Amino acid sequence: MDKIVIVVPCYNEQEVLRQFYAKLSNVLRDLHDCSFSCLFVDDGSTDDTLQILRELSAGDPNVHYRSLSRNFGKESAMLAGLDAAEGDAVILMDADLQHPPERIPEMISWWRKGYDDVCMKRTDRSDETVFKRTMTTLFYRILQAVSRCEIQRNVGDFRLLDRRCVAALRLMRENQRFTKGLFTWIGFRKKELSFHVQPRAAGKTTWNYFALYNLAVEGLTSFTTAPLRMTTFLGLAVSLLAISYMFIVLINALLYGDPVAGYPTLMTVMLFLGGVQLLSLGIMGEYLSRVFMESKQRPIYLVAEADGKKILYTPSDPLERQIASSWEEGGRSDET
Ligand code: UDP
Ligand code: MG
């Protein structure tokens, strides 16, 4: 029988967790040809999320949880889930019921037909503001134009992954994670299904425009070095323009005795060049900061508690992960 693990990152979801669990169990109860387990990842919540997870897992042998030592962000929490999920397939979904559990049977049936990555594509974004939608479209356009990988549009983290895809994702231990891009990068046979994003059942979203901006920069810088090349071209273009302009000014002054308007021209050119230089420096800085962050090779997350046991493991690479899981199996994990 196929074993399917449902990985759910949760951050301050006390208001929806029980409702989510009830709804999910309802759907899974009717599916008899697979065995399911739920793996919640508490991403350092500051409310009662962890307590609720402890209770859920105590009451249901198929519910497991990992609790991270602080809030590491959804991308890291998802990796923590993928690292710990041992199943023939893994389904990633949000805890806030925006991803309808009713679609799980359909996802499984496509997986059985031979697709490795069944992703759910949101059909409309009408719940979002016009500004957010425009920015998203723009972001996808730019990303598409500059990167070689075809990033899927409007496809989020709600998806079913074959165990091979999970293994592939585990291999990528970058700290600055843009999981959406990683899903594309790993390849495998993909199937897109569409779904309506439900409104959040309760609680509130942790996303804001600043987080979105960060994600967009993350997406661009982690997938392409095109902005760096762009600065080179920009520099080249500006230099060419400056040379041509120099000739125009010289000819005007020498041949026609045209008095050159000094201050405005100088100001414009100086400010323009200053802007271009700062922009280029900023772009270089973005990449440099990523090199800096990655070079520290810190673990991507720390697990502080797992299924009632207070443990610490830092699965920074797949080998350590194996060691960590063999520790758990060997029953040594009770040690703090
Ligand atoms: N989440 C998380 N860590 C965070 C932020 C969010 O694990 O730092 C989880 C959250 O609990 C939810 C999912 O990621 O299950 C999606 O978050 P949210 O609903 O806030 O984002 P949105 O749906 O608005 O994109
Ligand atoms: Mg949500």
Side-chain angles (χ1 to χ4, degrees):
M1 193 148 70
D2 293 324
K3 190 166 173 255
I4 294 177
V5 183
I6 296 170
V7 168
V8 190
C10 321
Y11 177 56
N12 292 348
E13 299 286 9
Q14 60 177 12
E15 280 142 63
V16 280
L17 259 185
R18 289 185 195 281
Q19 200 184 337
F20 170 80
Y21 171 71
K23 212 164 167 194
L24 184 68
S25 325
N26 246 342
V27 173
L28 301 186
R29 202 170 297 133
D30 300 332
L31 296 170
H32 303 292
D33 49 353
C34 317
S35 71
F36 289 97
S37 63
C38 272
L39 176 65
F40 292 94
V41 181
D42 163 41
D43 187 13
S45 302
T46 47
D47 63 358
D48 278 339
T49 300
L50 178 58
Q51 191 49 38
I52 295 173
L53 290 181
R54 286 184 186 131
E55 285 165 26
L56 288 180
S57 107
D60 182 343
N62 290 324
V63 172
H64 301 281
Y65 72 91
R66 296 276 185 277
S67 175
L68 306 188
S69 63
R70 64 167 171 87
N71 179 243
F72 281 88
K74 186 186 179 188
E75 310 280 317
S76 306
M78 278 196 296
L79 180 73
L82 291 177
D83 276 343
E86 303 295 346
D88 298 301
V90 167
I91 295 176
L92 278 171
M93 56 197 300
D94 286 359
D96 54 10
L97 284 171
Q98 286 194 291
H99 298 161
E102 300 84 49
R103 302 297 298 275
I104 290 178
E106 197 185 336
M107 293 163 86
I108 294 174
S109 74
W110 282 104
W111 171 58
R112 292 218 163 110
K113 282 180 199 157
Y115 289 95
D116 301 307
D117 181 355
V118 185
C119 14
M120 305 301 282
K121 189 184 175 105
R122 51 193 302 178
T123 40
D124 66 310
R125 285 183 165 263
S126 51
D127 56 318
E128 294 176 345
T129 58
V130 179
F131 178 72
K132 190 173 172 193
R133 257 182 291 162
T134 323
M135 292 318 272
T136 321
T137 315
L138 196 70
F139 167 68
Y140 278 116
R141 286 257 169 83
I142 296 176
L143 196 60
Q144 207 68 81
V146 295
S147 74
R148 261 179 280 162
C149 263
E150 174 95 7
I151 307 270
Q152 295 162 294
R153 277 208 61 167
N154 293 338
V155 176
D157 302 320
F158 183 23
R159 55 176 74 219
L160 179 147
L161 296 160
D162 185 77
R163 61 186 304 166
R164 285 172 299 147
C165 298
V166 176
L169 287 169
R170 283 176 186 167
L171 288 176
M172 287 184 271
R173 308 310 293 188
E174 56 215 70
N175 261 288
Q176 322 272 307
R177 300 184 79 74
F178 180 61
T179 315
K180 221 180 214 301
L182 299 183
F183 288 136
T184 308
W185 189 92
I186 58 169
F188 292 97
R189 277 192 81 194
K190 296 194 189 311
K191 172 76 192 167
E192 279 182 10
L193 305 177
S194 33
F195 83 111
H196 275 285
V197 184
Q198 310 295 316
R200 208 171 216 285
K204 56 180 194 296
T205 174
T206 49
W207 285 107
N208 50 40
Y209 283 113
F210 187 62
L212 275 182
Y213 167 79
N214 278 342
L215 192 72
V217 174
E218 201 61 68
L220 275 176
T221 48
S222 67
F223 263 80
T224 165
T225 50
L228 282 177
R229 205 161 307 138
M230 195 188 75
T231 55
T232 320
F233 283 122
L234 200 61
L236 212 68
V238 171
S239 312
L240 284 177
L241 274 178
I243 290 175
S244 339
Y245 185 61
M246 186 184 78
F247 278 118
I248 296 174
V249 173
L250 270 181
I251 291 169
N252 264 347
L254 291 179
L255 295 189
Y256 304 108
D258 201 9
V260 184
Y263 185 70
T265 352
L266 266 182
M267 246 352 230
T268 325
V269 171
M270 254 171 58
L271 288 179
F272 175 68
L273 280 185
V276 169
Q277 277 168 0
L278 282 181
L279 178 76
S280 320
L281 268 181
I283 292 177
M284 267 162 64
E286 284 292 343
Y287 283 93
L288 188 64
S289 72
R290 269 158 188 83
V291 174
F292 172 64
M293 296 306 279
E294 295 297 336
S295 70
K296 291 197 265 191
Q297 299 219 323
R298 291 200 179 153
I300 300 163
Y301 59 87
L302 296 172
V303 178
E305 182 179 326
D307 290 344
K309 296 176 211 131
K310 294 221 181 316
I311 56 163
L312 168 75
Y313 63 67
T314 55
S316 56
D317 66 48
L319 188 68
E320 266 184 68
R321 197 181 61 75
Q322 275 173 20
I323 297 169
S325 63
S326 66
W327 265 36
E328 262 186 286
E329 281 155 22
R332 290 183 51 197
S333 44
D334 280 1
E335 297 162 22
T336 11

